Amino acid sequence: MFEDKFVQFSASTGSIDLVDACIVVDVQDWPGVRLAAESLAQDFARVAGNDPSQVILWHPGVTLTSPKSTKNSIIVGTVGSSRIIQQLESEAKLDTTKIRGKWESFNTTVIDQVLPGFGRALVISGSDKRGAIFGCYTLSEQIGVSPWYWWADVPPQKHLEIYAISHPTWHGEPSVQYRGIFLNDEAPALTGWVLEKYGKYNSKFYIKIFELLLRLKANFLWPAMWPGYPNPGASFFVDDPDNQRLADEYGIVVSTSHHEPMQRLSNEWFSENPDGSWNWLTNREKIRQFFELGAERARDHESYFTLGMRGEYDKKMAGDDPAAVVQDVVKAQRNVFEKVYGRKDAVPQLFAVYKEVQSLYESGRIKIPDDVTLLFQDDNFGSIRRLPTTSEATRSGGAGVYYHLEYVGSPRSYKWINSNSLGKTQHQLMQAYHHNARRIWIFNVGDLKPLEIPITFVMALAWNVRDIPFDGLKSFFATMAKREFGQELAGDIAQIWHEYDRLVSLRKHELIEPDTFSILHDKEADLVLQRWKTLLEKANQVHDRVSDESKAASFQLILHPVKASYIYVALQITRAKNLLYARQRRNSANKAAASALALFDQDFDLSEEYHRQLNGKWNHMMMQPHYGYEETWHAPSRDMIGGLCRRS
Amino acid sequence: MFEDKFVQFSASTGSIDLVDACIVVDVQDWPGVRLAAESLAQDFARVAGNDPSQVILWHPGVTLTSPKSTKNSIIVGTVGSSRIIQQLESEAKLDTTKIRGKWESFNTTVIDQVLPGFGRALVISGSDKRGAIFGCYTLSEQIGVSPWYWWADVPPQKHLEIYAISHPTWHGEPSVQYRGIFLNDEAPALTGWVLEKYGKYNSKFYIKIFELLLRLKANFLWPAMWPGYPNPGASFFVDDPDNQRLADEYGIVVSTSHHEPMQRLSNEWFSENPDGSWNWLTNREKIRQFFELGAERARDHESYFTLGMRGEYDKKMAGDDPAAVVQDVVKAQRNVFEKVYGRKDAVPQLFAVYKEVQSLYESGRIKIPDDVTLLFQDDNFGSIRRLPTTSEATRSGGAGVYYHLEYVGSPRSYKWINSNSLGKTQHQLMQAYHHNARRIWIFNVGDLKPLEIPITFVMALAWNVRDIPFDGLKSFFATMAKREFGQELAGDIAQIWHEYDRLVSLRKHELIEPDTFSILHDKEADLVLQRWKTLLEKANQVHDRVSDESKAASFQLILHPVKASYIYVALQITRAKNLLYARQRRNSANKAAASALALFDQDFDLSEEYHRQLNGKWNHMMMQPHYGYEETWHAPSRDMIGGLCRRS
């Protein structure tokens, strides 16, 4: 989104026409590069409205004789893997010195004579496979295909003319080395949708995730893992044998959640072992073998191994001395690496300093090897609990952050729609960055779907923290709005998103109850509600103005979150008024009760409207109940409002 | 109700025909006797369907020459006041020895030749004026006119033939000397009705009360006294100058409530004095003068003076040493009697040992003169807090009981419909009786209207405790049911009233909340509700069966209380189910919510049905809100139900 432009939509000196250019990848290059090239070919069709670009798998001696052979081409390759890149360098047509050896970097250059039989070319050379892949997807974005073209139905821009600019551009390294998401707390919304659309969490689903991540320049995944239906719930590695293989091919580094060590999922264990068995003290050897299989299975796939151990199902470790147990587990896990890979530090590893594990860690009784990444966490509500100390900041394994954009736990889960204040998120993440917690950033994104904007934000920040200055939130919204909806409405949409961000920063929806905003003092409730009302009016106006093909995206990214929030806040305040008026025995009490019920119905109808969009493409995605929290932190199992009063 | 019968509806040896008999009262007898005789004359018309009996005010030398002069007569007179009685005794036609000097006793005798020009006569001779009055009203009841003929619209029985039995009967003395009610907590129901029907609490209203009391053989009244609209609220003595005079004429002993001393009402004071002025320490002389006017004003009227003093508006007495203040007040009040009447003990006096006054009294620091009646009280919920000690039981002023059938105060007011368990009431009152607390029984009857049955019960008991044995509750209900609705339905109605009594003994309506009866354990709620439902079915059946002219009485005395109670309990249980089902997220939650709202509407409709009876005769009488108690003891100002839940 913020990368230097290497594309324009009218010709200029030295520019080359990319429409109908073939896309060339060395057959020996990484599969992920070929997959990205194929996406790029489709994207050209999406933008230019013609057939997909021809993708040519190059090998020595190939001669292109087709009618298009004299046309321009886009050459994509990885330094060290692509023989085309190697040949261009040897012919001094290309110089990759500035990216060579770097992490996920790429260069774009226009070359007049690249290969025999080919015309002029835009050459995208990656420092590594993801450098090349990100080059492809950056080109996709720059010609007009949003990373959210499928997941949020952002219509590709239409361009009959697309040109590569003649002067070279340089991209990377990213600010944060591993940038990824955790699909978590995924029922009922995401799971409901996955079961309907894909049958299970299989590779047909996951390649949609991989592609999205790569378009966002992310590279890392903690896969979905909730116990559930069908029993025992999602297990990335065994639900579809292609999941792990395709992740690697696409270029995604697979890891497992903070409490699932050694590339094994909890559901794998509990599909074969009873409750109570996940106990290192009583079941050490069986668990060790379980770990070893994870290490073996990951052998040919780029992986990031989670170390340590928690109790069953993400609960606390049982036992009298959990610190000693964790230390022993880590030792055993390191021995597994030595056995399987020859060295204890042969593979990337992380140790999640999560919840009570942080206390154990800070007791000093758990020693984590220097090459293992320490993964610190936020407090589940967006404030990072702990930054690396000076000594931790220089360890070879580095440090990272596990950060919640959705959450299941105390005091209350929030997993409905976006309730993140990005101003706060930015502040927290930048602290982490400046304290060297930049090896990994993992974001718990829950059901993924309603978090398009915060995901875009954190991935942009993770790619290049300098792209969004501290006072750059409005500018970020404007840039994203322009990408998704075009220049004309970008200003208005950015204003909406910014006001939304400010309003949710008052309090997350899930924690707003009838007594949250005072209906008696300082007109607090009325003022908050008026802000939402004004925002809803603006959102409706924008939604009316966007083109028909943008309506679905506008509904998902603008209208729905604003309207759902307005209804939510209005309903809680109306419930408060109903209660107050009823206690005052005012005639208006019943009117307020009727309004509350009407708002409650509107909320239901709005979710159903979401589900009906695009003939049910996103059916189930708004299934998360959000009304009716009670004594526990659990999200309600079904929407319910209580406390309504009626006077005679 | 339980008196020996001196009437029958077919002729027998020596019986005399009473239809068209004239009613004869010495013109010099008490006015109340003449008033009772006039009521009796009307009652004969109500029963026999002809013109009212002729009432003849007798004086010496009167000669009756009308066509009816040779007919039978009913002679009513007071021993010592009626010259007719005196003459009959002197002629040895009558012997009143057995009642002479007794309290409120009477004798009935049939005499063949009473006076020149009169035929045979039924002679009712009273030991005192109320003895004669009660004799009249006992005859009214025995010929078929219920004490509730007007207040509960019980239709008079129809008899074309009415005969007095030849053998004499004896009645009295009553078990309790003063038997009365306290019209209290009278807004909004009674006050709303009074304002509509009479404009204010004037003598047109009060003579209806006096007549009812006398028909119930009661003799005592604490008049209505709530502050209210029109400001300052009801003041018996000044609202209508005839109130006090007519009470005396009718034969009602007027007193003032436990916290309104010296025949003055609070509203009298506050109509001329500001809040804060009712303070003996700062305003002694003015208050003393206020007392003196009360004593003067009552001079010619049978009165019972309340002594002592509480704080403003029935609150605690302020000050550091309230006991000393109360003692000084009593001393001053006694001095007033000495000044006005010549002696400190010239008039009947009572000292109400109510609430905190009981603590002051029991400290031993307040000495109450021996001739003053000690009025003990229940705990506001029907359990008598304290009985007279052995020494208190023998004091010349005696002791009495102030007992709540309705109540305003902590923990919760109950002033809607009857929620008294008469089994308990009987047990408590009999304890009082046996411990010699039988000088006065005063019953707080709130709005009066919905308490027809408990009022009847306690007045019957006060008149003669032997009439209702400890296991006689069913029998009482049957007797009353027969009187009000006839023999045929008496058994069924008695069963309904008895089951009602048992059900309200579980818990007063006002204290039944959704969580009172468990909807989870032992089917408690369902079983209670089923009992109410069965009872309602029976009440409906009976209501269908009663004659058209009894429908209004049946609605007021049978159907309404049962139906209102059923709705009340059903609604609370339905609210509980709504909450439980909603928390369980069951589909049935919304059905329960709809049921709750429907029941709430039914309650409103039922009250309106009450108000529409007899073209609005009892409009306002069911205005007391009863749903929506909250943190305070105050009855709700308007019906309101809260806590309703709705699921999506």
Side-chain angles (χ1 to χ4, degrees), chain A residues 579 582-587 590 597 600-601 604 627-631 636-648, chain B residues 579 582-587 597 600-601 604 627-631 635-648:
Chain A
L579 179 61
R583 299 189 68 184
Q584 294 173 329
R585 304 305 199 266
R586 286 158 65 173
N587 288 346
N590 284 9
L597 290 173
F600 191 51
D601 287 346
F604 181 83
Y627 290 102
Y629 283 81
E630 296 194 275
E631 289 83 356
S637 62
R638 186 169 184 175
D639 285 316
M640 188 273 280
I641 54 173
L644 291 175
C645 302
R646 180 81 73 110
R647 56 144 191 85
S648 66
Chain B
L579 179 61
R583 298 188 69 184
Q584 293 172 328
R585 304 306 199 267
R586 285 159 66 173
N587 287 346
L597 290 173
F600 191 51
D601 287 346
F604 180 84
Y627 289 103
Y629 282 82
E630 296 194 275
E631 290 84 355
S637 62
R638 185 171 185 173
D639 285 318
M640 188 272 280
I641 53 172
L644 290 174
C645 302
R646 180 79 73 108
R647 57 143 192 82
S648 66

Side-chain angles (χ1 to χ4, degrees), chain A residues 421-469:
Chain A
S421 165
L422 297 186
K424 174 178 180 177
T425 302
Q426 178 182 23
H427 178 76
Q428 294 289 317
L429 292 175
M430 286 307 292
Q431 277 201 322
Y433 176 80
H434 288 301
H435 285 76
N436 232 20
R438 55 175 89 157
R439 179 63 55 91
I440 313 177
W441 284 3
I442 306 171
F443 297 92
N444 189 320
V445 297
D447 299 301
L448 182 77
K449 192 65 182 89
L451 294 182
E452 297 90 345
I453 297 168
I455 291 172
T456 302
F457 180 78
V458 297
M459 288 308 166
L461 206 64
W463 175 254
N464 188 349
V465 293
R466 284 164 299 278
D467 281 340
I468 309 175

Side-chain angles (χ1 to χ4, degrees), chain A residues 124-139:
Chain A
I124 301 173
S125 44
S127 66
D128 50 23
K129 71 174 178 182
R130 278 189 296 271
I133 291 166
F134 295 151
C136 282
Y137 282 123
T138 302
L139 177 54

